[in-house]
Amino acid sequence: MSLENNLKTFLLRVEGMDCADCALHLEKAAQGVPGVHRAEVSFATGRMRLVAEGDGVIPEVQAVARKMGYRVLPATPTTDGAGWRGWLRRYPRALPTALSGLLLALALGVHLLAGPAPLQDGLLIAAAITGGFPVARAGWAALRATRRPDMNTLMTVAVAGALTIGEYAEAGVVVFLFSLGELLESLTMDRARSAVRALMALRPPEATRRTPQGEERVPVEALAVGDLVLIRPGERIPADGRIREGRSSVDQSPITGESMPVEKGPGDEVFAGTVNGPGALTVEVTCAASDSTLARIIHLVEEAQEQRAPSQRLVDRFAVVYTPAVVAGALLVATVPPLLGLGPFLDWLYRALVLLVIACPCALVISTPVAVVSGLTAAARAGVLIKGGVHLEALARLRAVAFDKTGTLTVGEPRLVGGECANHTADRRPQECPECLDLLAKAAAVEARSGHPLARAVMRAAEELGVADRYGLAEAVESAPGRGVQGRVAGHAVKVGSHAYVHGEREEDDPFCRRVDAVAARGRTAVVVEDVCCGNRAYGVVADTLRPETAAVIGALKGMGIRRTVMLTGDNRAVAERVARAAGVDEFRSELLPEQKVEAVEELLGRYGTVAMVGDGVNDAPALARASVGVAMGAAGSDVALETADVALMGDDLWGVPRAVRLGRRTVAIIRQNVAFSLATKAAFLALAVAGLATLWMAVFADVGVSLLVILNGMRLLMHSAK
């Protein structure tokens, strides 16, 4: 058996990481542990993914992390985070930072009271050592494990240098500001991570299970497929299931992003984490808690957040070069000018120490992941599941969008949208014509035994007009596959189906037949019904109607700068042309096989570069896979759509497409703002440091301040509703 087959993947939680640079060094340190084949650490999510030879490497990785000042724990949250002790374990620099700040305050008090200088200096040195010890420990551990200086190493050297040249006040203030900034960064990032934990909290911890012995409260994890659970008004639904009894409106916004509750009744599906409305429901559990739609969404969002977006990989590569380059520059600044007689050594050494602080790439490294994590989380809360930063950035670059027709631009279910009887007069509507209604009732009696989509359209129209039960079920029903069906209704022979099936070889000059043929010429389907006994005839126009929002969505995409919208369908040209004109797309292509849809997407890619394909996630899978971004409609509860699409619209709402594009563009804009601001600040302070105009505490304040501003700017996306 090969070594690859023996490898295991472990998902771990990391506590105590203060910055993205720390995550990069912890990742390198973990990769150096014997038995670890790959390690990925995400500061944005606070998680570590290990690919290793067995469980035995975990304690060694934990030991390496502990030396660097971090805790590596199982991914499943534990209860040790409760209370102030748990808080201190999650934020280990909090106590040293507080002590350092207290000593600085005492030193300031001594200074204001004109106390002895040795006491003031002693308090300042103590403040620097107290706050700097965890920094130095983490920096030394990183240096030993990776053979490269990290931010903690650079800060330790800078503070040690300041103490050496007698700048005790700056050493103490620098340590305090740095530690406080790192603590604030950690707290702020934890706020961003809590957005995903809020998704986990949607599922209630317990459920009311119904048994032959009565009702019992059980943990949600104890529910099994087939169990019956009672959901009272206002309660959250504990598991995915199907309603057995009761009717109610259900708020599905946590899953699908729908703004209005959806009416549900027996046979309808419900999802874990959604909120029941005014009616009590009895639901049959259809999958375990760990396999629910909500659980899959959380899992996929976490996986997406751990992926590095293209811009993040670029920034990480830049940071790897940037830090050693600035360190080398600091060494040159400390040595070359004094040798050339351009000033005292201590002055240039101080400038070099400022450069070391500026060499910390934290703000730059964190500029992308915090925006990506916030963007993905905001999208998930709005019912748009984006499978990673690469797809989020691709959405921002879209120039063309291709749509499937059936079920995407249209409702996906044929409906009776018109028609009339042979004797119909223009002075009344078909809904008011007794003969039209009678023939519809007879057609429904015959079609009640058929599962054909056209039969469902006839039945739905009969139910809406209140005539579905006028005659009951037809007798002696015979089906002609692909043509129609006939039977006896109240003693009358009734035929329902295509024009050719019902009328056979009738004369072509029949006015009724001309009306039916005109319907077909306009790209619509006509269903003809005839009472053979009395000769009464009628036709119904069946069409897959356009979604109410389709035209507005297409208009919104064009308003956002999408250069081409295209409809791809297997339907005939007449139907495709009618739907395309009503939808407002720029072009359409009809009578396409699945492989021809792929060819159409490839042609669009050649013309526009970045193309999205929007479909149902199953029938259009090849075209979805070929597009730059594959978008699946109505993915809630669909395993195939959730797993295969790049973007899954959980609700059956076409507005999710412009929402996703808008969020992608806003995310990329914030990433660019963050990167530009970080680089500009670094460049400005590099120049100020070399010119001798920047102090250590100014450099730390700028570095920490920029990091916090970058995080807060990225977190603005969490307030973006994506709607």
Side-chain angles (χ1 to χ4, degrees):
M1 183 179 291
S2 66
L3 178 61
E4 285 75 9
N5 294 333
N6 293 326
L7 296 179
K8 294 183 179 180
T9 300
F10 303 94
L11 192 61
L12 305 168
R13 186 163 45 99
V14 183
E15 291 184 352
M17 279 195 304
D18 300 311
C19 69
D21 189 46
C22 305
L24 291 175
H25 282 80
L26 177 58
E27 183 177 286
K28 292 184 180 299
Q31 286 176 342
V33 173
V36 173
H37 283 247
R38 188 169 68 253
E40 297 174 358
V41 179
S42 170
F43 174 62
T45 59
R47 287 152 65 102
M48 173 189 290
R49 187 181 297 272
L50 283 180
V51 178
E53 296 175 11
D55 300 5
V57 302
I58 302 298
E60 296 182 43
V61 171
Q62 289 175 320
V64 169
R66 193 161 46 248
K67 291 177 181 177
M68 298 176 70
Y70 315 124
R71 296 177 76 211
V72 173
L73 306 166
T76 304
T78 60
T79 58
D80 68 351
W84 64 271
R85 289 189 178 87
W87 193 86
L88 288 177
R89 278 194 291 268
R90 290 199 305 276
Y91 308 109
R93 290 194 183 180
L95 186 58
T97 301
L99 291 175
S100 178
L102 177 61
L103 290 169
L104 280 178
L106 291 174
L108 178 61
V110 170
H111 173 72
L112 293 175
L113 296 173
L119 177 59
Q120 178 182 326
D121 291 344
L123 289 171
L124 291 171
I125 294 171
I129 294 174
T130 302
F133 176 75
V135 177
R137 184 185 63 178
W140 174 243
L143 190 61
R144 287 182 58 193
T146 65
R147 300 294 187 270
R148 292 181 53 208
D150 71 347
M151 186 177 65
N152 293 297
T153 310
L154 299 178
M155 194 59 61
T156 300
V157 173
V159 171
L163 291 173
T164 301
I165 62 177
E167 296 288 348
Y168 306 132
E170 289 210 22
V173 171
V174 162
V175 165
F176 175 70
L177 286 177
F178 176 72
S179 297
L180 180 61
E182 296 299 289
L183 177 60
L184 291 175
E185 282 184 38
S186 188
L187 288 167
T188 310
M189 275 306 302
D190 213 33
R191 168 71 179 84
R193 295 172 191 140
S194 68
V196 176
R197 291 198 291 270
L199 290 175
M200 300 179 188
L202 290 175
R203 193 191 70 186
E206 292 185 331
T208 303
R209 182 165 58 188
R210 301 182 76 170
T211 67
Q213 293 75 34
E215 298 175 0
E216 60 178 355
R217 295 289 290 176
V218 298
V220 169
E221 290 76 11
L223 293 176
V225 175
D227 281 351
L228 295 179
V229 294
L230 174 66
I231 297 104
R232 297 182 175 86
E235 288 186 341
R236 285 195 180 273
I237 295 172
D240 285 8
R242 188 172 290 107
I243 297 176
R244 289 279 295 272
E245 299 175 10
R247 289 186 176 276
S248 184
S249 59
V250 178
D251 178 5
Q252 298 190 144
S253 58
I255 301 295
T256 66
E258 294 169 288
S259 58
M260 298 296 293
V262 179
E263 295 297 322
K264 299 278 187 177
D268 290 335
E269 290 186 342
V270 291
F271 306 114
T274 57
V275 182
N276 186 26
L281 298 174
T282 298
V283 173
E284 179 183 355
V285 177
T286 55
C287 67
S290 58
D291 297 325
S292 70
T293 301
L294 178 63
R296 294 201 304 274
I297 290 173
I298 293 169
H299 173 69
L300 291 170
V301 170
E302 289 178 334
E303 281 194 340
Q305 290 179 339
E306 290 170 11
Q307 296 176 12
R308 285 184 170 92
S311 57
Q312 183 179 349
R313 291 194 293 268
L314 180 64
V315 167
D316 287 347
R317 287 197 297 269
F318 176 80
V320 168
V321 176
Y322 166 81
T323 300
V326 177
V327 170
L331 290 174
L332 293 175
V333 166
T335 55
V336 173
L339 292 176
L340 296 177
L342 298 177
F345 171 72
L346 290 182
D347 288 350
W348 287 104
L349 176 61
Y350 184 84
R351 299 182 191 187
L353 296 177
V354 175
L355 279 177
L356 289 180
V357 174
I358 297 170
C360 300
C362 193
L364 182 63
V365 173
I366 204 174
S367 58
T368 297
V370 68
V372 170
V373 166
S374 299
L376 294 174
T377 305
R381 293 195 310 205
V384 180
L385 181 59
I386 303 174
K387 299 288 194 66
V390 60
H391 307 304
L392 191 62
E393 293 189 15
L395 283 167
R397 299 194 305 272
L398 284 182
R399 294 294 176 267
V401 182
F403 296 89
D404 174 47
K405 179 183 77 68
T406 305
T408 302
L409 295 179
T410 65
V411 175
E413 294 182 358
R415 295 181 180 273
L416 208 62
V417 296
E420 58 188 22
C421 64
N423 302 318
H424 192 76
T425 58
D427 61 344
R428 65 174 65 188
R429 298 184 304 164
Q431 298 94 317
E432 300 167 346
C433 175
E435 187 173 327
C436 288
L437 292 174
D438 185 66
L439 287 168
L440 177 61
K442 290 174 179 176
V446 175
E447 296 280 29
R449 296 182 182 274
S450 173
H452 193 278
L454 296 182
R456 290 197 296 271
V458 171
M459 289 298 300
R460 184 183 295 109
E463 290 170 357
E464 291 173 353
L465 294 174
V467 298
D469 299 323
R470 178 179 292 185
Y471 291 107
L473 297 177
E475 300 175 346
V477 176
E478 296 179 8
S479 176
R483 301 179 64 212
V485 62
Q486 62 181 332
R488 296 194 68 81
V489 180
H492 290 229
V494 177
K495 298 179 72 175
V496 185
S498 68
H499 190 198
Y501 172 71
V502 174
H503 283 185
E505 299 299 326
R506 294 200 181 203
E507 66 276 10
E508 295 182 2
D509 203 31
D510 185 335
F512 178 79
C513 292
R514 289 200 300 271
R515 279 185 278 168
V516 175
D517 291 339
V519 170
R522 293 195 299 270
R524 294 175 180 255
T525 301
V527 177
V528 180
V529 55
E530 181 180 22
D531 185 330
V532 179
C533 297
C534 63
N536 290 343
R537 297 173 291 168
Y539 72 89
V541 180
V542 178
D544 183 8
T545 58
L546 206 66
R547 289 176 180 269
E549 72 272 19
T550 295
V553 167
I554 299 299
L557 289 172
K558 291 180 180 179
M560 296 166 64
I562 297 298
R563 294 166 56 188
R564 202 73 175 168
T565 55
V566 184
M567 185 184 77
L568 309 177
T569 179
D571 264 345
N572 64 67
R573 180 177 180 83
V575 173
E577 185 174 12
R578 176 180 58 81
V579 174
R581 186 164 52 254
V585 295
D586 296 316
E587 65 177 280
F588 70 91
R589 304 184 190 187
S590 58
E591 302 175 13
L592 299 178
L593 297 173
E595 57 269 25
Q596 292 174 314
K597 287 188 178 182
V598 174
E599 292 172 2
V601 170
E602 288 177 341
E603 186 201 330
L604 290 170
L605 285 167
R607 287 161 56 190
Y608 298 103
T610 310
V611 177
M613 174 66 195
V614 186
D616 61 12
V618 181
N619 298 332
D620 300 303
L624 290 172
R626 183 65 188 91
S628 309
V629 183
V631 183
M633 290 282 296
S638 170
D639 291 340
V640 175
L642 277 174
E643 295 297 333
T644 60
D646 301 322
V647 178
L649 307 181
M650 306 307 295
D652 200 24
D653 183 6
L654 202 56
W655 276 111
V657 179
R659 289 171 192 160
V661 174
R662 191 178 299 113
L663 184 59
R665 290 184 176 181
R666 191 173 181 196
T667 301
V668 169
I670 285 180
I671 288 172
R672 289 172 178 167
Q673 292 169 12
N674 285 348
V675 171
F677 184 50
S678 301
L679 288 176
T681 306
K682 292 291 183 185
F685 268 84
L686 283 172
L688 290 174
V690 173
L693 300 176
T695 61
L696 276 174
W697 68 266
M698 287 171 58
V700 172
F701 190 78
D703 184 72
V704 171
V706 171
S707 297
L708 287 174
L709 288 174
V710 160
I711 292 173
L712 293 173
N713 192 37
M715 287 180 64
R716 288 194 300 127
L717 290 163
L718 291 173
M719 298 180 285
H720 182 64
S721 66
K723 295 188 178 182

